[in-house]
Amino acid sequence: MGTAPMTKSLNRSRKDTPLGKPAVQTYVKYLDIEIWDFMRQCLEADRRPLDPLRMLQRMILSLDLTLCWGRRISLEDPLLAEITGVEHEIINLRNPMTNFQDCIPALRFPWSPTMKKALELRQRRDTYFAQLNNDLDRSEEHTSELQSHHD
């Protein structure tokens, strides 16, 4: 992608993003939770074989879900496999070395295997986004009900 030259304007705009220093400082407690959970899982494995990639995927996805939807995810949650699988396939579909349709619009046929795969992945992605959003809506409704009982 390249880099932008360091300027005062760039510094100001970076401070206002979710990755600026003030914003990242608010995430530290969530980072701590996920890192400690990762370390705990490694230590509890004792002599059993570990899959560090899956554990790192869980940690990163759990952090993302915590920040965006207010929920964590465990290694046993089927949603972990679905999300990581779909997102991995989407990244592969967007790879310019294997997907010439992104580079050459004339190759974008509705009946192509790549288009069919992309539509299937889109439906699967929509399904888990809907589930996450519905869970968030139910959580917010529950919270507002509890608050109305206290008032």
Side-chain angles (χ1 to χ4, degrees):
M1 285 181 50
T3 58
M6 189 55 75
T7 63
K8 288 182 183 180
S9 173
L10 179 65
N11 265 347
R12 272 194 308 278
S13 65
R14 281 189 176 170
K15 287 179 185 175
D16 297 334
T17 68
L19 295 176
K21 187 174 180 178
V24 170
Q25 287 173 334
T26 65
Y27 305 158
V28 169
K29 63 183 172 188
Y30 304 115
L31 283 166
D32 281 349
I33 290 168
E34 294 305 335
I35 290 169
W36 280 108
D37 198 33
F38 175 81
M39 291 176 12
R40 180 190 53 78
Q41 289 171 342
C42 289
L43 293 172
E44 285 177 357
D46 196 27
R47 299 200 190 282
R48 290 175 297 179
L50 287 177
D51 182 358
L53 177 59
R54 183 148 169 82
M55 293 170 61
L56 286 168
Q57 288 172 331
R58 189 222 53 88
M59 181 178 77
I60 292 164
L61 181 58
S62 190
L63 181 62
D64 186 42
L65 292 176
T66 299
L67 297 175
C68 297
W69 282 278
R71 83 177 289 252
R72 295 184 65 217
I73 197 163
S74 71
L75 283 169
E76 295 79 28
D77 193 328
L79 196 55
L80 173 65
E82 178 65 3
I83 292 173
T84 56
V86 168
E87 297 302 323
H88 178 75
E89 289 187 55
I90 288 172
I91 288 169
N92 287 340
L93 271 181
R94 292 181 175 165
N95 182 347
M97 299 302 287
T98 57
N99 182 10
F100 299 114
Q101 290 178 341
D102 281 352
C103 304
I104 306 167
L107 296 176
R108 296 179 190 159
F109 302 114
W111 59 85
S112 76
T114 304
M115 288 293 277
K116 289 178 182 176
K117 184 69 173 174
L119 290 172
E120 177 212 331
L121 292 171
R122 171 65 189 266
Q123 290 172 341
R124 289 172 63 189
R125 185 187 241 189
D126 287 348
T127 300
Y128 63 73
F129 275 144
Q131 178 185 344
L132 291 167
N133 289 333
N134 289 338
D135 290 349
L136 181 62
D137 291 343
R138 279 196 297 275
S139 173
E140 287 175 352
E141 287 172 8
H142 180 71
T143 302
S144 65
E145 286 174 13
L146 288 175
Q147 288 175 345
S148 67
H149 288 303
H150 288 290
D151 295 340

